[in-house]
């Protein structure tokens, strides 16, 4: 490693993933303040929610600070293939146009996204072997295998002339992950001995005591549970949790059942896993139509939709309109997954529909059918013992997770813990670490085919429309500003009994209109707008969005 120049600094800049679980986007900068080189670690999305951002599919970080100096952005490096780490690449890469690095399984899934976005001619992710190393300007990166809930999760050791950062990515300690490598504890300890400046670490489960548990135990438990069931079984899980898919398939096989994959994501992920050498022991798969011909106790459906996603296979099965799969009395659905906060309403609605069909529901509430992919407190403690950093930087969490994580790190004798916020520029070295600047940051919504700044206020406007509907009024004036006809009124999303009150409220301001003093009708438009809103409020208790247009003939 070169020796640092006099003005060199190593900085950390989260633009997403701090203060929220999702949308991970972390940048590391190195060099003098006026000429920093950057690498980006992960580029993920957050899913829109109907309640807060109606009509928005995806939420992404605002990266204009880096886009404006994209010649200094050396690469995007993906730690693993979850959507909250790679989902924004097709949307944000065109603003950076730098190389993208990932291990093979992750690279295949990124390629799939680029193809869908029509970008596969312009960007080919560069494949890094497991435990591989890459040099990027002043940075040297080492990929370190860890365990999580998807194939090929990696921590990164980021070496710079001013010190080494361990960026954990998403991880847990699973001594028997059942697929892929175990955590490379030796590599992490070696870094600790070498001397780690900062550990930038997953906070998802920082509020949960103990350990997350092993996939091997889930495999035993699911095998036993499936043995107790006599009719058709559907198991739903995240398609990306390939070890879990294998667990479910082997549990089915052990109980004399054949497996059918239901849902596009299941096929996409298992194809990517096979191409990269995983799933060698996966039993042969039936297609949905073949499976329907089997006796009920000989089949197991592996289905998408554990989070209540309305277009996924399980939702269609629950609505009884799936072309090949139907479930009914005596059949069982196992949710081998957790309820992601925010999805609870959709999941319970789905479960109610299934219960209505007479289907038995088995969930992680009362059966051991799932383990988390993120580190609980004992595992976090282990990570700090291995890496022994000078600074702990908790990321990948809401503020409550991050602050508790920081407290835990301090209790483990980490000299300094910094809870970052998106947009804060944090100097890690030289000198004592701390926030030195704030850069533009925020969220961008993918709304249909358009990317739009969250600050533009569209979501607020849509929520207002959803809450109280709208009134559109057209006033017609002649060339001298005199009222020339009845106003046109369009009312949307407002209960019928309120309409008369709104219409009736316009007479008064129209009567008071003074054409001489208000020739363009601007004052009239405002008093009509207010009168309509007031009438709605008096009759209904709500103020609709109200627009008034003046047409002069
Ligand atoms: Zn994540
Ligand atoms: Zn993850």
């Amino acid at each position: 490693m070169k020796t640092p120049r006099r003005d060199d600094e190593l900085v950390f800049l989260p633009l997403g993933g701090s203060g929220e679980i999702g949308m991970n986007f972390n940048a590391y900068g190195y060099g003098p303040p006026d000429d920093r080189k950057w690498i980006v670690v992960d580029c993920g999305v957050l899913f829109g929610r109907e309640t807060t951002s109606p009509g928005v599919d995806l939420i992404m970080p605002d990266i204009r600070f880096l886009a404006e100096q994209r010649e200094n952005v050396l690469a995007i490096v993906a730690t693993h293939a979850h959507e909250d780490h790679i989902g924004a690449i097709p949307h944000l890469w065109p603003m950076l146009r730098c190389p993208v690095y990932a291990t093979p399984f992750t690279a295949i899934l990124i390629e799939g996204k680029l193809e869908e976005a029509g970008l596969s001619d312009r960007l080919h992710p560069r494949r890094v072997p497991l435990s591989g190393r890459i040099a990027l300007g002043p940075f040297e990166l080492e990929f370190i295998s860890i365990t999580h809930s998807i194939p090929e999760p990696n921590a990164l050791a980021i070496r710079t002339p001013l010190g080494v950062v361990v960026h954990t990515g998403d991880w847990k300690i699973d001594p028997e992950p059942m697929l892929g490598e175990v955590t490379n504890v030796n590599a992490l300890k070696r870094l600790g001995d070498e001397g780690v400046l900062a550990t930038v670490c997953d906070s998802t489960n920082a509020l949960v005591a103990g350990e997350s548990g092993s996939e091997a135990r889930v495999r035993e438990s699911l095998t036993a549970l499936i043995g107790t069931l006599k009719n058709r079984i559907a198991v739903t899980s995240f398609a990306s949790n390939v070890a879990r898919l294998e667990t479910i398939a082997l549990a089915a096989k052990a109980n004399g059942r054949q497996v059918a994959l239901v849902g596009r994501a299941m096929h996409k992920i298992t194809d990517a896993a096979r191409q990269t050498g995983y799933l060698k022991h996966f039993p042969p798969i039936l297609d949905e139509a073949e499976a329907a011909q089997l006796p009920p106790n000989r089949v197991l459906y592996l289905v998408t939709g554990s989070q209540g996603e309305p277009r996924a296979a399980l939702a269609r099965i629950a609505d009884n309109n799936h072309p090949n799969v139907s479930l009914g009395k005596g059949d069982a659905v196992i949710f081998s997954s957790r309820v992601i906060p925010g999805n609870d309403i959709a999941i319970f609605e789905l479960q109610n529909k299934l219960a209505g069909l007479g289907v038995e529901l088995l969930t992680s509430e009362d059966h051991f059918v799932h383990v988390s992919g993120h580190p609980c407190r004992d595992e976090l403690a282990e990570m700090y013992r291995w890496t022994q950093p000078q600074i702990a930087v908790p990321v990948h969490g809401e503020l409550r997770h991050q602050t508790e994580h920081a407290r835990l790190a301090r209790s483990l004798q980490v000299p300094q813990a910094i809870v970052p916020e998106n947009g804060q520029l944090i100097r890690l070295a030289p000198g004592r670490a701390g926030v030195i600047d704030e850069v533009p940051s925020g969220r961008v919504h993918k709304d249909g085919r358009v990317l739009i700044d969250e600050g533009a206020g569209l979501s607020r406007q849509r929520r207002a429309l959803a809450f109280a509907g709208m009134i559109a009024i057209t006033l017609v004036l002649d060339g001298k500003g005199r009222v020339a006809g009845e106003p046109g009124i369009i009312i949307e999303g407002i209960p019928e009994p309120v309409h008369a009150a709104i219409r009736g409220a316009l007479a008064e301001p129209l009567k008071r209109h003074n054409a001489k003093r208000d020739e363009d009708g601007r004052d009239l438009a405002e008093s009509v707008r207010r009168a309509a809103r007031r009438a709605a409020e008096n009759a209904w208790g709500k103020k609709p969005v109200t627009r008034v247009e003046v047409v002069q003939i």
Side-chain angles (χ1 to χ4, degrees), residues 175-313:
E176 296 173 273
M178 310 312 284
L179 182 140
E181 309 281 318
V182 294
T183 303
N184 189 345
V185 178
N186 286 335
L188 293 165
K189 283 185 180 161
R190 169 171 49 74
L191 288 163
D193 294 341
E194 211 177 288
V196 169
L197 175 67
T199 298
V200 178
C201 184
D202 181 354
S203 307
T204 311
N205 276 344
L207 302 174
V208 185
E211 294 173 0
S212 55
S214 175
E215 186 64 26
R217 301 290 86 73
V218 176
R219 197 163 285 197
E220 291 164 6
S221 170
L222 264 172
T223 306
L225 181 63
I226 287 169
T228 66
L229 301 168
K230 301 285 173 266
N231 264 327
R232 280 189 193 85
I233 303 175
V235 187
T236 184
S237 174
F238 279 119
S240 57
N241 193 338
V242 178
R244 183 67 49 78
L245 303 189
E246 191 183 71
T247 286
I248 295 161
L250 292 177
K253 191 177 166 203
N255 287 291
R257 288 176 185 263
Q258 290 191 269
V259 176
L261 298 183
V262 188
R264 203 170 75 98
M266 289 289 174
H267 292 279
K268 205 160 76 178
I269 295 279
T270 50
D271 287 349
R274 284 214 177 80
Q275 280 178 53
T276 38
Y278 302 102
L279 293 183
K280 290 214 173 78
H281 309 294
F282 207 77
I285 298 298
L286 293 180
D287 77 37
E288 295 167 8
E290 280 176 314
Q293 307 304 317
L294 287 176
N297 64 348
R298 287 279 165 264
V299 64
L300 182 145
Y301 296 105
L302 195 36
V303 302
T304 55
S306 68
Q307 298 304 308
E309 303 92 325
R311 287 180 291 246

Side-chain angles (χ1 to χ4, degrees), residues 171 173 205-206 208-212 375-386 408 412:
W171 65 284
I173 301 173
N205 276 344
V208 185
E211 294 173 0
S212 55
C376 299
R377 293 171 69 85
D378 289 357
E379 292 158 274
L380 289 171
E382 199 75 79
M383 180 59 82
Y384 287 111
R385 274 193 285 274
W386 292 335
L408 176 68
L412 295 163

Side-chain angles (χ1 to χ4, degrees), residues 21-24 42 80 82-85 148 169-170 202 204 374 396:
I21 294 181
M23 200 175 99
N24 293 285
D42 291 331
H80 66 290
H82 276 147
E83 289 295 324
D84 61 325
H85 297 259
H148 182 37
D170 294 5
D202 181 354
T204 311
H374 298 273
H396 202 293

